[in-house]
Amino acid sequence: METKNKSRFSSAEAFETVLRYPVVPVFYHADVAYAKRIVQACYDGGLRVFEFTNRGEKAFDVFSELVTFVHDTCPDMLLGIGTIYVAEDAERFIAAGADFVVQPCLTAEVAAVCRAHDVPWLPGTMTISEIYQATQLGAAIVKIFPGNVVGPGFIKSLRGPMPTVPIMVTGGVEPTQESLKEWFQAGVNAVGMGSQLFKNADDTAALSQQIADLLAYVDTLKK
């Protein structure tokens, strides 16, 4: 297996960036121009981590163009790929420039690819056993998914036996102060936010302002 990593960031740098900017958009669109506008709006709002999902037949082509766009216009942005199930796709997207790899589930073969390339691996988990397995296989951050099913109470309980595991919850996180407060006070380190964040995405100026406000609020929760 090749070990060349085309990412601009080391695994440690990527991990630190996610914890510093702990709101992660989860997004897919088949139109490259539209996807670029969304990424730029997120960047202008202060986000520095963006998950593009492998959910359509054009995902690889759009992602490849986004990599070039991000390198040129959003140089501090981590651009990762989500919805990865198999090693082959992980290899392909890492070669295209993915800064991290996110899974909805946990597979050892994708973990191995990420380790070989020193690319952060964020597997999806839903049980204590899966979370432990993820840490043993080298997860940079463990994703709890779907968050709306397990709820903040699960995170609070989890923090008893696993106080230091970096946790990102995706699913059920809303772009409101109330939702963010509930999740961060429960003990998450970061949140992934999908369709809820992009309800009025055509107004990119408003989206940027909303993101800036959310990040400012999250900063107050971490202090």
Side-chain angles (χ1 to χ4, degrees), residues 41-131:
C42 290
Y43 192 78
D44 292 344
L47 291 183
R48 293 297 179 264
V49 185
F50 194 99
E51 177 188 336
F52 188 80
T53 59
N54 180 31
R55 293 185 182 174
E57 61 182 25
K58 293 186 178 180
F60 183 78
D61 293 336
V62 175
F63 181 81
S64 297
E65 292 202 40
L66 282 179
V67 168
T68 300
F69 175 77
V70 166
H71 288 198
D72 291 342
T73 66
C74 308
D76 299 324
M77 176 77 86
L78 287 167
L79 178 63
I81 187 66
T83 320
I84 296 296
Y85 289 97
V86 297
E88 180 183 2
D89 283 340
E91 289 278 8
R92 196 161 60 114
F93 279 96
I94 289 172
D99 292 313
F100 58 92
V101 173
V102 185
Q103 292 193 266
C105 57
L106 181 158
T107 64
E109 64 178 271
V110 172
V113 170
C114 292
R115 283 198 307 272
H117 292 279
D118 190 31
V119 169
W121 172 56
L122 288 72
T125 66
M126 199 178 173
T127 67
I128 297 290
S129 295
E130 288 176 338
I131 294 167

Side-chain angles (χ1 to χ4, degrees), residues 134-195:
T135 63
Q136 296 302 294
L137 290 172
I141 296 173
V142 179
K143 183 174 84 166
I144 304 296
F145 175 79
N148 56 306
V149 174
V150 298
F154 175 76
I155 305 298
K156 289 180 182 178
S157 298
L158 170 69
R159 283 313 188 194
M162 294 183 169
T164 61
V165 176
I167 294 292
M168 178 175 80
V169 66
T170 301
V173 182
E174 299 179 5
T176 65
Q177 291 188 1
E178 292 77 15
S179 181
L180 291 174
K181 182 178 181 180
E182 191 174 29
W183 285 110
F184 278 95
Q185 288 191 344
V188 303
N189 302 98
V191 295
M193 206 177 297
S195 58

